Amino acid sequence: MDGGGESGLAAAASSAAPLLAPEARRRFRQGCPGCRLDEVNKTNTGVPYLNFFYIWVVCLTAALPIQSLFPYLYFMIRDLKVAKEEQDIGFYAGFVGATYFLGRTISAVPWGMFADKYGRKPCIVISILSVIVFNTLFGLSTTYWMAIVTRGLLGLLCGILGPIKAYASEVCRKEHQALGISLVTSSRAIALVIGPAIGGFLAQPAQKYPNLFSEDSIFGRFPYFLPCFVISLLAAGSCIACIWLPETLHFHDDDKAESIEELEAQVRGSESTKNLLKNWQLMSAIILYCVFSLHDTAYLEIFSLWAVSSRKFQGLSLTSQDVGTVLAFSGFGVLVYQLAIYPFLAKYVGPIKTFRPAAILSIILLSMYPFMANLHGMELKILITMASVLKNMFAATITIACNILQNTAVTQEQRGVANGISVTLMSMFKAVAPAAAGILFSWAQKHISGLFLPGNQILFLMLNMVSVIGLVLTFKPFFSLPNSTRHS
């Protein structure tokens, strides 16, 4: 789950860390947009609601393409006729899902450097323009390689994740920074609801809504263009909103003393990174975070493919609309859980004590998934929706606990670098997960019988093994609990 893996304290701190280094003392410089904004924030003590609204819209539209394709990805690969057999669809779908995360992993650091040198606003605008262009082209894909390339370029050029969090912290006064960053993470959580709904309900419109869309129209000839087109229209609206976003970067050279301070800070940061890599409390927490991020991303890929695959391969034969509904309900359920239920759970039980029970319950729940193929109709839809909501609630509980463990394992001054290491490694695991999941899914469909277990049960067993590995890593000698959380 993209929003679960990247949401919360760790993702916010890490993505923004390179862009939020301690500032040296600055004098006001005429014509510098950063100085001008600082002066505005000195006089305006209120919350900059309009700027925050623009940030929320920009983050939402940038996150929508991540989740929207999963309800229809199986059908899209089938229609592109790249798979020689139906069982090979999952293999090819996995690489389409992986290319976005791979592109984002490669470009994350360069985009941070670009935003530090040329400004946050150009980075944000280019990222939104990439959504408009490459998300639209993805919907118009006529070949498998066109889908791969456009999806990869979207991940490569949409470098908004780190800079937008830095921007949300810089555009307001210090007392409003937490609200700004929370808007970024909440918008991505909303995308977990809206994205699958758009993909599920708007894909193949000529088949679903023949009275509105004919087979000869562009939406009939390109059945997966409409959901991409709608998201691109929303992105175009948010790109227009960027006109009113002020730049926050200071475009002037600091004096010699300040430059020396920054150079010394960089040297200290390099030494700090080396020390953090030797901090086993931190690294054990990061390893857990990476393992469960891999599991969550692989689960989303496998679930989306399995739910729409044929009954003859022990799938559920659901439509893209059904899958979009299930994923949207799951996203909404997690949002409600995080806002209304989890705070009370953390208050009375503690955030760390919920970790292992959530992992165990997730393993038990996932082991029941293959048997849902014996259900039909409304009974199946209700049960799979409830199971999906619970699964994502357990995943959110684990992710939040991992974030807390990482941030309590280091001092406040080290958290930026520590979370930078965390998200870099997590992104690499997320890039591998969809491709590995697609290969495993394709193999399982080719081995429905003839092994010690049916292929679909082996599929979920292998997925559960990732959680089992994560669970084992929570015990000594693999895991060292930070002192501040021993009694949580």
Side-chain angles (χ1 to χ4, degrees):
M1 184 171 72
D2 188 77
E6 292 166 349
S7 63
L9 179 59
S14 61
S15 298
L19 307 167
L20 296 176
E23 295 182 358
R25 294 187 300 275
R26 292 192 180 96
R27 296 189 301 272
F28 177 80
R29 305 293 177 90
Q30 192 69 33
C32 172
C35 291
R36 186 163 56 246
L37 182 63
D38 287 346
E39 291 297 309
V40 171
N41 285 333
K42 286 180 182 178
T43 56
N44 297 337
T45 59
V47 178
Y49 290 108
L50 194 58
N51 284 339
F52 278 173
F53 173 73
Y54 293 148
I55 291 170
W56 188 85
V57 170
V58 166
C59 289
L60 177 66
T61 53
L64 286 176
I66 301 174
Q67 301 290 333
S68 62
L69 85 161
F70 287 106
Y72 63 79
L73 181 57
Y74 183 93
F75 302 104
M76 185 179 192
I77 300 301
R78 180 197 64 188
D79 292 349
L80 291 176
K81 302 186 186 304
V82 65
K84 296 180 179 179
E85 298 179 320
E86 190 175 349
Q87 300 97 309
D88 293 326
I89 291 176
F91 175 87
Y92 292 100
F95 289 101
V96 174
T99 50
Y100 176 89
F101 295 108
L102 179 61
R104 193 173 68 179
T105 301
I106 294 170
S107 65
V109 173
W111 272 120
M113 296 168 63
F114 177 92
D116 279 340
K117 185 174 182 179
Y118 299 104
R120 319 302 192 217
K121 190 171 178 178
C123 180
I124 293 170
V125 172
I126 292 172
S127 296
I128 295 300
L129 288 174
S130 73
V131 172
I132 297 171
V133 174
F134 294 108
N135 185 62
T136 301
L137 290 175
F138 177 75
L140 292 171
S141 296
T142 54
T143 66
Y144 177 71
W145 286 109
M146 182 177 177
I148 286 281
V149 170
T150 53
R151 189 74 180 171
L153 288 173
L154 177 59
L156 193 70
L157 297 177
C158 188
I160 201 172
L161 181 61
I164 196 66
K165 287 175 180 174
Y167 183 89
S169 296
E170 297 166 347
V171 79
C172 59
R173 295 167 63 92
K174 287 187 177 180
E175 58 264 33
H176 306 312
Q177 287 179 350
L179 175 60
I181 292 179
S182 68
L183 285 172
V184 175
T185 55
S186 68
S187 66
R188 300 183 73 82
I190 295 294
L192 290 175
V193 181
I194 300 176
I198 291 175
F201 283 88
L202 299 185
Q204 301 169 307
Q207 296 180 24
K208 296 174 182 174
Y209 317 108
N211 294 331
L212 296 176
F213 303 95
S214 70
E215 291 287 349
D216 297 327
S217 67
I218 187 172
F219 300 113
R221 289 182 285 113
F222 299 95
Y224 310 102
F225 175 56
L226 182 58
C228 296
F229 179 66
V230 169
I231 292 174
S232 296
L233 282 180
L234 295 174
S238 68
C239 190
I240 294 173
C242 289
I243 295 173
W244 292 281
L245 286 178
E247 178 57 67
T248 61
L249 192 65
H250 290 264
F251 288 99
H252 55 76
D253 295 327
D254 295 319
D255 57 33
K256 186 176 180 180
E258 291 172 341
S259 298
I260 292 174
E261 284 185 21
E262 291 180 359
L263 182 60
E264 291 176 346
Q266 291 176 6
V267 173
R268 289 195 300 270
S270 177
E271 291 298 320
S272 176
T273 301
K274 294 178 182 178
N275 293 333
L276 288 175
L277 293 175
K278 299 176 182 179
N279 182 341
W280 182 242
Q281 290 182 345
L282 171 66
M283 295 309 296
S284 62
I286 288 177
I287 292 170
L288 279 177
Y289 185 43
C290 291
V291 169
F292 282 104
S293 293
L294 184 147
H295 174 271
D296 293 343
T297 307
Y299 164 78
L300 180 60
E301 181 81 17
I302 286 175
F303 174 80
S304 302
L305 297 172
W306 170 69
V308 299
S309 61
S310 173
R311 288 277 180 176
K312 65 183 178 181
F313 300 120
Q314 299 298 310
L316 303 184
S317 289
L318 297 179
T319 65
S320 60
Q321 186 170 328
D322 293 331
V323 176
T325 302
V326 171
L327 294 179
F329 267 107
S330 299
F332 180 74
V334 170
L335 186 62
V336 172
Y337 172 72
Q338 289 180 319
L339 295 176
I341 301 175
Y342 183 79
F344 292 99
L345 191 66
K347 180 179 179 180
Y348 293 106
V349 180
I352 307 305
K353 289 183 179 179
T354 60
F355 187 101
R356 287 173 185 153
I360 293 170
L361 289 173
S362 176
I363 292 170
I364 295 172
L365 177 65
L366 204 59
S367 64
M368 299 178 182
Y369 269 48
F371 303 102
M372 294 184 191
N374 298 321
L375 303 176
H376 297 81
M378 189 56 64
E379 183 182 28
L380 169 63
K381 292 178 183 178
I382 293 174
L383 191 60
I384 195 64
T385 301
M386 292 174 58
S388 184
V389 170
L390 288 173
K391 176 68 181 67
N392 288 336
M393 285 171 55
F394 297 146
T397 302
I398 294 169
T399 298
I400 294 171
C402 286
N403 291 337
I404 293 172
L405 287 169
Q406 291 173 41
N407 284 277
T408 53
V410 293
T411 62
Q412 185 178 19
E413 292 76 16
Q414 294 175 310
R415 285 175 186 167
V417 179
N419 285 305
I421 296 171
S422 171
V423 165
T424 300
L425 293 175
M426 179 270 291
S427 297
M428 294 170 64
F429 275 70
K430 278 201 163 196
V432 171
I439 293 171
L440 180 61
F441 179 82
S442 180
W443 176 88
Q445 288 206 324
K446 292 180 178 179
H447 297 83
I448 290 297
S449 60
L451 297 173
F452 67 98
L453 284 175
N456 63 324
Q457 293 188 31
I458 295 177
L459 174 67
F460 286 98
L461 176 63
M462 295 297 292
L463 190 57
N464 258 339
M465 286 304 298
V466 179
S467 289
V468 170
I469 292 171
L471 184 61
V472 170
L473 291 176
T474 64
F475 295 93
K476 293 183 178 180
F478 307 107
F479 182 67
S480 178
L481 191 67
N483 295 330
S484 58
T485 60
R486 290 185 188 276
H487 303 292
S488 297

